[in-house]
Amino acid sequence: MYVMDDVCCAGELQKDIKVTAVKPLRGGMMLVTFSTGEKRLFDTTKLEGPAFAPLADEKVFNNPELFHGVITWNNGEIDIAPETVYRDSNSYDDVAM
C-alpha cells in the first residue's frame, strides 16, 4: 500500500513503469499493458485541460503511439506519463477478453 496525492492506493508504487502496448476501446477507454505485465483499463475522458481536448475526436483518440513507454497522440503533441496512467487505471481481468 502507498499514498499518493493524499489517496491511499492498494499494491506497490510502480517506479520506472512503461507502457508496452495500448489498445483504444469504446467511450474513451483504453486497454493498457505495462512493463510489469499487468493489463489495466484507463479512462481518457477523465483527463482535464485543453491539452487533452483533441482526444474527443475519435480519429485522434484511435491513433495512439508509444514513444519510449509513453502513450502519445498527434505526433507527440499529446502525451501522458505512464505513472499517471497506471495510478488512474483499474485492473483488467484477462479472462474478460
Side-chain angles (χ1 to χ4, degrees):
M1 180 169 48
Y2 64 97
V3 176
M4 179 177 283
D5 299 324
D6 296 325
V7 176
C8 186
C9 302
E12 297 296 321
L13 178 62
Q14 299 295 325
K15 294 182 181 180
D16 301 322
I17 195 165
K18 293 184 180 190
V19 174
T20 58
V22 61
K23 179 180 178 184
L25 304 172
R26 294 183 190 172
M29 298 297 291
M30 303 188 90
L31 179 59
V32 182
T33 306
F34 292 91
S35 53
T36 61
E38 293 175 83
K39 290 186 179 182
R40 299 176 65 86
L41 289 173
F42 180 70
D43 185 355
T44 62
T45 65
K46 294 183 178 182
L47 295 171
E48 296 180 352
F52 297 110
L55 295 180
D57 179 345
E58 283 190 36
K59 258 186 172 178
V60 174
F61 170 76
N62 285 324
N63 289 293
E65 295 184 8
L66 291 179
F67 182 75
H68 298 286
V70 176
I71 303 170
T72 68
W73 295 268
N74 271 357
N75 294 317
E77 290 179 12
I78 305 168
D79 64 31
I80 185 164
E83 297 85 1
T84 300
V85 176
Y86 187 88
R87 180 192 69 214
D88 295 343
S89 62
N90 297 307
S91 296
Y92 179 78
D93 185 355
D94 222 10
V95 178
M97 287 186 80

